């Protein structure tokens, strides 16, 4: 093992630089050269590589984002190119393999979520030596207890809830906070419990707006003149569909969610006369410095990925199981999305505390 390449794909999240740093420092400790691939799989297709020396990764542990750049477009197996004046998807996966070979790369370390690791799995099936590292604030990857970036995103949402509490109480309003998570409700559930929300709405439990309104009215009768609602962007009403902001071509998942918070706010005002304000946290959850937990987890993942490469174990993803970092087949990580189970201990605890789940 003489040379490794690393890329960051999909949406950015706190902890990416911490992983890059851990990979570079661990690899150089073993005398292995490390190349960074700029802007995810786009750089792999176009051959946009850079050297990652110890100096290059010095001081990046607390930095948000990724020094390599990233994109949630540019799938090498359906790479958009203009042919005969029209944009068409072209399979350029062979170009990626050739670029890696020409740079003398022995193995690729792919840091990403569901979309990026699905691409990594396809390359593994083509014979490329690939190791996956689980990254997403959504925490929706199977085969790992937690992805890095999730806990920092929860902290950001919890802080927003703390601030919304004071203004909601002052004005006797219903405050709705829309958080990310796509099809899974992990951020909404954890932030809702940590931030003392009164209503938590997640994709796994379609909500009945009347139940939500009744819980708010019950609080008002108890002298509690404000309520806080946390809603995951993928939540949907009973018998209804998710709110889609728009469709975006060129992405592994073209659906861009957004707008459920506004829908709930409007519905509560129109049907129940409740004064409501809506806050969409959006990309604030992705930005900023990773917290201590994510810095440690990211560092452990990066070091473990280099160890796996040294032991020539490929087609795997490093994962957190309990307190241990283990190796699992890439396929197990991307076969399906990890949703919040209806018997999840935190979900049951939220119900015990009287938090309304909309059902």
């Amino acid at each position: 093992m003489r040379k490794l390449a690393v890329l960051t794909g999909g949406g950015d999240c706190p902890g990416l630089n911490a992983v890059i740093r851990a990979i570079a420092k661990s690899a150089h400790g073993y005398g292995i050269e490390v190349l960074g691939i700029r802007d995810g799989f786009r750089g792999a297709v176009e051959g946009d590589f850079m050297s990652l020396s110890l100096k290059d990764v010095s001081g990046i542990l607390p930095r948000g984002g990724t020094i390599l750049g990233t994109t949630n477009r540019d799938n090498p197996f359906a790479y958009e190119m203009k042919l005969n004046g029209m944009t068409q998807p072209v399979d350029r996966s062979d170009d990626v393999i050739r670029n890696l070979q020409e740079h003398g790369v022995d193995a690729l370390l792919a840091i990403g979520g569901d979309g990026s690791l699905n691409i990594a799995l396809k390359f593994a099936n083509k014979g490329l030596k690939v190791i996956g590292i689980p990254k997403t604030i959504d925490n929706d990857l199977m085969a790992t207890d937690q992805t890095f970036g999730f806990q920092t995103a929860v902290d950001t949402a919890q802080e927003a809830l703390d601030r919304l509490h004071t203004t909601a109480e002052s004005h006797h309003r219903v405050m709705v906070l829309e958080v990310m998570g796509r099809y899974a409700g992990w951020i909404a559930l954890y932030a809702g419990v940590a931030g003392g929300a009164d209503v938590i709405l997640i994709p796994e439990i379609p909500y009945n707006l009347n139940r939500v309104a009744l819980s708010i009215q019950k609080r008002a009768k108890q002298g509690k003149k404000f309520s806080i609602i946390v809603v995951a962007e993928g939540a949907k009403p009973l018998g209804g569909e998710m709110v889609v902001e728009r469709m975006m071509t060129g992405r592994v998942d073209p659906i861009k969610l957004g707008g459920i918070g506004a829908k709930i706010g409007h519905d509560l005002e129109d049907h129940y006369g409740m004064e409501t304000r809506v806050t969409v946290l959006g990309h604030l959850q992705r930005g900023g410095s990773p917290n201590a937990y994510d810095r440690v987890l990211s560092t452990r993942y990066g070091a473990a990925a280099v160890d796996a490469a040294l032991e020539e174990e490929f087609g795997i993803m490093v994962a957190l199981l309990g307190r241990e970092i283990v190796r699992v087949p890439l396929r197990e990580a991307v076969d399906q999305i990890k949703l919040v189970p209806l018997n999840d201990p935190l979900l049951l605890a939220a119900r015990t505390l009287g938090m309304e789940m909309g059902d």
Side-chain angles (χ1 to χ4, degrees), residues 189 202 205 340-352 357:
L189 176 61
I202 60 177
I205 305 175
V340 177
L342 298 185
N343 64 347
D344 182 82
L346 188 60
L347 177 59
L348 297 179
R351 291 189 186 278
T352 300
M357 306 303 297

Side-chain angles (χ1 to χ4, degrees), residues 152-165 177 191 194-195 281:
T152 303
V154 169
D155 287 354
T156 301
Q158 169 257 306
E159 182 181 353
L161 286 170
D162 289 350
R163 295 178 181 275
L164 287 175
H165 260 96
L177 180 68
L281 206 50

Side-chain angles (χ1 to χ4, degrees), residues 13-24:
C13 83
L16 284 168
N17 283 325
V19 178
I20 295 168
R21 171 182 176 271
I23 289 170

Side-chain angles (χ1 to χ4, degrees), residues 297-317:
L297 182 59
S298 299
T299 299
R300 295 182 70 194
Y301 277 150
V306 173
D307 287 342
L310 282 168
E311 295 173 21
E312 298 191 354
E313 189 169 351
F314 303 109
I316 59 98
M317 181 186 80

Side-chain angles (χ1 to χ4, degrees), residues 41-321:
F41 283 103
R42 183 207 64 78
V45 171
E46 305 296 342
D48 193 359
F49 291 54
M50 63 180 283
S51 176
L52 282 178
S53 67
L54 292 178
K55 181 180 178 181
D56 293 321
V57 300
S58 177
I60 68 172
L61 176 64
R63 284 174 57 181
T66 163
I67 61 171
L68 295 178
T70 189
T71 175
N72 48 18
R73 298 174 179 268
D74 302 324
N75 179 353
F77 292 89
Y79 197 77
E80 290 193 346
M81 299 183 65
K82 280 194 175 182
L83 300 174
N84 301 320
M86 298 181 62
T87 301
Q88 301 178 33
V90 177
D91 185 349
R92 295 194 60 186
S93 58
D94 288 339
D95 292 335
V96 172
I97 294 174
R98 182 168 56 254
N99 286 333
L100 291 170
Q101 290 173 341
E102 288 178 354
H103 282 81
V105 172
D106 297 302
L108 172 66
L109 308 186
I111 309 170
D114 178 65
S116 298
L117 294 186
N118 262 296
I119 295 171
L121 176 61
K122 289 182 179 180
F123 276 115
N125 291 338
K126 291 192 70 164
L128 190 65
K129 295 177 179 178
V130 179
I131 295 170
I133 301 173
K135 169 240 57 160
T136 169
I137 66 169
D138 303 332
N139 198 39
D140 61 354
L141 275 176
M142 293 295 290
T144 184
D145 288 350
Q146 194 155 316
T147 56
F148 73 85
F150 167 68
Q151 195 59 58
T152 303
V154 169
D155 287 354
T156 301
Q158 169 257 306
E159 182 181 353
L161 286 170
D162 289 350
R163 295 178 181 275
L164 287 175
H165 260 96
T166 59
T167 184
E169 186 173 10
S170 298
H171 288 275
H172 314 311
R173 286 171 175 158
V174 176
M175 289 289 186
V176 180
L177 180 68
E178 180 182 318
V179 299
M180 286 182 168
R182 297 194 60 72
Y183 311 115
W186 295 105
I187 295 177
L189 176 61
Y190 274 69
V193 172
D198 306 300
V199 179
I200 303 173
L201 305 178
I202 60 177
E204 294 84 350
I205 305 175
Y207 68 86
N208 181 330
L209 188 67
N210 191 53
R211 284 294 304 267
V212 174
L214 286 174
S215 70
I216 295 171
Q217 291 167 348
K218 180 180 178 181
R219 281 177 51 80
K221 290 177 181 178
Q222 295 171 343
K224 303 172 183 178
K225 298 181 180 180
F226 72 96
S227 290
I228 303 291
I229 299 174
V230 180
V231 56
E233 62 183 350
K236 58 187 176 183
L238 191 64
E241 299 295 330
M242 294 178 297
V243 179
V244 177
E245 181 180 315
R246 66 180 185 272
M247 302 296 288
M248 302 180 69
T249 59
R251 292 173 47 164
V252 175
D253 185 349
I255 298 174
K256 187 178 188 304
L257 298 172
I260 185 62
K263 173 178 171 53
I264 290 172
H266 292 152
D267 288 347
L268 287 174
E269 286 195 342
D270 293 345
H271 300 302
Y272 299 93
M274 297 176 178
E275 187 176 3
T276 307
R277 296 292 185 272
V278 178
T279 299
V280 180
L281 206 50
H283 286 76
L284 285 172
Q285 295 157 97
R286 293 194 180 281
S289 181
N291 65 12
Y293 181 90
D294 279 333
R295 294 184 196 191
V296 171
L297 182 59
S298 299
T299 299
R300 295 182 70 194
Y301 277 150
V306 173
D307 287 342
L310 282 168
E311 295 173 21
E312 298 191 354
E313 189 169 351
F314 303 109
I316 59 98
M317 181 186 80
V318 292
L320 180 67
L321 182 61

